[in-house]
Amino acid sequence: MRLLIVEDEPALLKSLKKGISEEGYAVDAALTAEEGRFFLKGGAYDLVLLDLMLPDGSGYDLLHETRRKKSQVPVLILTARASEGDKVKGLDAGADDYLTKPFSFAELLARIRALLRRGPSPRPVVLSHRDLRLNPATREVCLRGRDVALTKKEFALLLLFMRRPGEAISRTDITEKAYDFESDRDSNVVDVHVKNLRKKLAPNDPEAYIRTMRGIGYALK
């Protein structure tokens, strides 16, 4: 899953990106409204964390622009503005949740998980495909009742495949959905992660779960 953080405090932005990335999410970070616009224009995000007080404009403006473009990406406002009027204004502007600073990181993660479960459209809490079970909230994967230990990138790949079963997904699409801008986005890296994921799912049959679609990419079989 891919998140965007728009926050003008460099230390907080760095801390948030590090902590959220360690939870297995792909995270892009912007210090200004203009940088936020750049990322939103060039990438598909599952969630945006948005500060309201930015050096080159208001987070409200960026939120309004996002909603005017018919984007349904969930937006969680992170701000020091704690008045009831500010909360009402933010939610009325199209935000999905509102968290005031200072906040606990554990609460932030819980709200992120809740919004991602909700998403722009209803999604099942646990994803199932054949004898695979994947829980996005707990980040657990089971194969025939046995827990499968995956790296963060392997989990992100499997989550993408299980949300689009049978669909051919290009390497470009995989990097856009499962990687952040600072990651090595070379297609060979995707191939390596897919190879490692295949070994953990079916070591003796590479295409038992993930098919290679020649000239396109991969698909969950």
Side-chain angles (χ1 to χ4, degrees):
M1 288 185 178
R2 194 173 174 196
L3 280 64
L4 171 65
I5 308 172
V6 186
E7 165 62 56
D8 73 332
E9 297 179 40
L12 178 58
L13 181 63
K14 182 178 180 181
S15 175
L16 289 175
K17 179 171 183 179
K18 180 176 184 296
I20 295 172
S21 296
E22 288 175 350
E23 293 297 314
Y25 301 105
V27 182
D28 291 319
L31 281 164
T32 66
E34 190 58 36
E35 288 181 359
R37 289 187 187 92
F38 169 79
F39 282 115
L40 286 168
K41 182 178 180 180
Y45 293 96
D46 296 287
L47 178 67
V48 176
L49 307 183
L50 177 64
D51 187 14
L52 291 180
M53 295 179 286
L54 300 170
D56 58 342
S58 167
Y60 288 122
D61 294 335
L62 188 57
L63 179 55
H64 281 301
E65 292 172 20
T66 302
R67 294 303 183 230
R68 280 199 300 268
K69 294 177 181 176
K70 307 300 182 184
S71 172
Q72 296 301 312
V73 60
V75 176
L76 170 56
I77 288 178
L78 302 177
T79 181
R81 295 181 177 179
S83 73
E84 182 180 30
D86 285 320
K87 292 181 181 179
V88 170
K89 182 178 178 181
L91 294 171
D92 283 345
D96 297 271
D97 201 356
Y98 195 105
L99 186 59
T100 56
K101 303 173 184 177
F103 51 81
S104 76
F105 188 65
E107 180 180 2
L108 173 62
L109 287 178
R111 291 181 182 237
I112 287 174
R113 289 192 296 268
L115 287 173
L116 290 174
R117 285 197 300 270
R118 185 191 315 170
S121 59
R123 290 174 174 170
V125 175
V126 177
L127 299 175
S128 300
H129 181 77
R130 294 168 53 189
D131 47 9
L132 272 171
R133 301 291 183 273
L134 182 149
N135 189 323
T138 62
R139 311 190 75 75
E140 294 175 321
V141 175
C142 292
L143 174 62
R144 293 186 291 277
R146 174 180 58 85
D147 291 339
V148 181
L150 301 181
T151 67
K152 296 169 184 175
K153 290 301 181 187
E154 290 164 2
F155 182 88
L157 282 171
L158 184 58
L159 177 60
L160 177 61
F161 287 133
M162 290 188 69
R163 283 194 166 148
R164 297 162 63 176
E167 179 182 343
I169 306 175
S170 69
R171 291 174 177 81
T172 299
D173 203 9
I174 290 172
T175 58
E176 288 180 352
K177 297 295 191 304
Y179 293 75
D180 58 49
F181 273 88
E182 294 182 3
S183 298
D184 187 343
R185 297 160 71 88
D186 187 272
S187 63
N188 289 336
V189 174
V190 173
D191 295 337
V192 170
H193 287 309
V194 169
K195 179 180 179 181
N196 293 336
L197 178 58
R198 282 171 159 170
K199 286 182 179 179
K200 292 182 178 181
L201 296 179
N204 299 319
D205 186 358
E207 296 214 357
Y209 291 91
I210 302 172
R211 295 178 56 197
T212 298
M213 309 298 287
R214 299 197 182 281
I216 303 175
Y218 299 98
L220 190 65
K221 191 171 179 181

